[in-house]
Amino acid sequence: MKVYELAFTKKGVAGLRLPCIGGKVFVPLNEIVRLEGRRNYTLIVINAHPPMLVAKTLGLFETELSNSFVRIRRGCIINLLHTSVGHDGLVRQKDGFAAPVARRRAKQPALLIQAA
């Protein structure tokens, strides 16, 4: 069952329609910085906006997101557009967030090449 499918605007901008109190909000994919898993919830960190908490698991979003999103840990999906990789094995984002890459995922050189 697909809960959140990619939506497109009339101008062709891809994004997610997320539930909000007043209805649904369209968030473009290039504005999403990262998604953090919080048990059965997902915290969506958006560039220049307050984060949104959605009552869906991180795995549901992983299947829908494009190639510019990579799951680096069990509880974190990052957007490569807002990311740089340091020499210390940490993935750093423009907002100051830093997280180590999981050992199993660090063995995949394609992940680090994409993020560099």
Side-chain angles (χ1 to χ4, degrees):
M1 179 173 113
K2 293 185 178 181
V3 177
Y4 297 106
E5 294 183 5
L6 287 177
F8 295 92
T9 63
K10 293 179 181 177
K11 295 183 180 180
V13 177
L16 293 173
R17 292 201 188 279
L18 301 173
C20 191
I21 293 174
K24 290 193 176 186
V25 175
F26 180 78
V27 179
L29 289 182
N30 59 357
E31 291 292 320
I32 298 174
V33 177
R34 69 181 168 275
L35 292 89
E36 297 178 14
R38 310 274 188 202
R39 293 188 180 144
N40 286 336
Y41 297 92
T42 299
L43 181 72
I44 301 172
V45 180
I46 304 168
N47 193 18
H49 293 286
M52 295 180 69
L53 189 65
V54 179
K56 298 296 173 193
T57 61
L58 199 59
L60 292 174
F61 288 103
E62 184 180 16
T63 59
E64 292 298 320
L65 295 173
S66 66
N67 294 337
S68 64
F69 289 88
V70 175
R71 191 166 190 165
I72 60 167
R73 308 192 62 69
R74 180 178 173 188
C76 187
I77 297 175
I78 60 168
N79 188 349
L80 295 176
L81 300 175
H82 301 278
T83 306
S84 65
V85 176
H87 295 290
D88 52 358
L90 290 177
V91 173
R92 299 185 190 281
Q93 292 197 300
K94 295 176 183 175
D95 64 348
F97 177 79
V101 178
R103 287 178 292 185
R104 187 180 319 154
R105 307 227 186 227
K107 292 177 184 175
Q108 299 171 354
L111 171 71
L112 296 176
I113 291 170
Q114 283 180 339

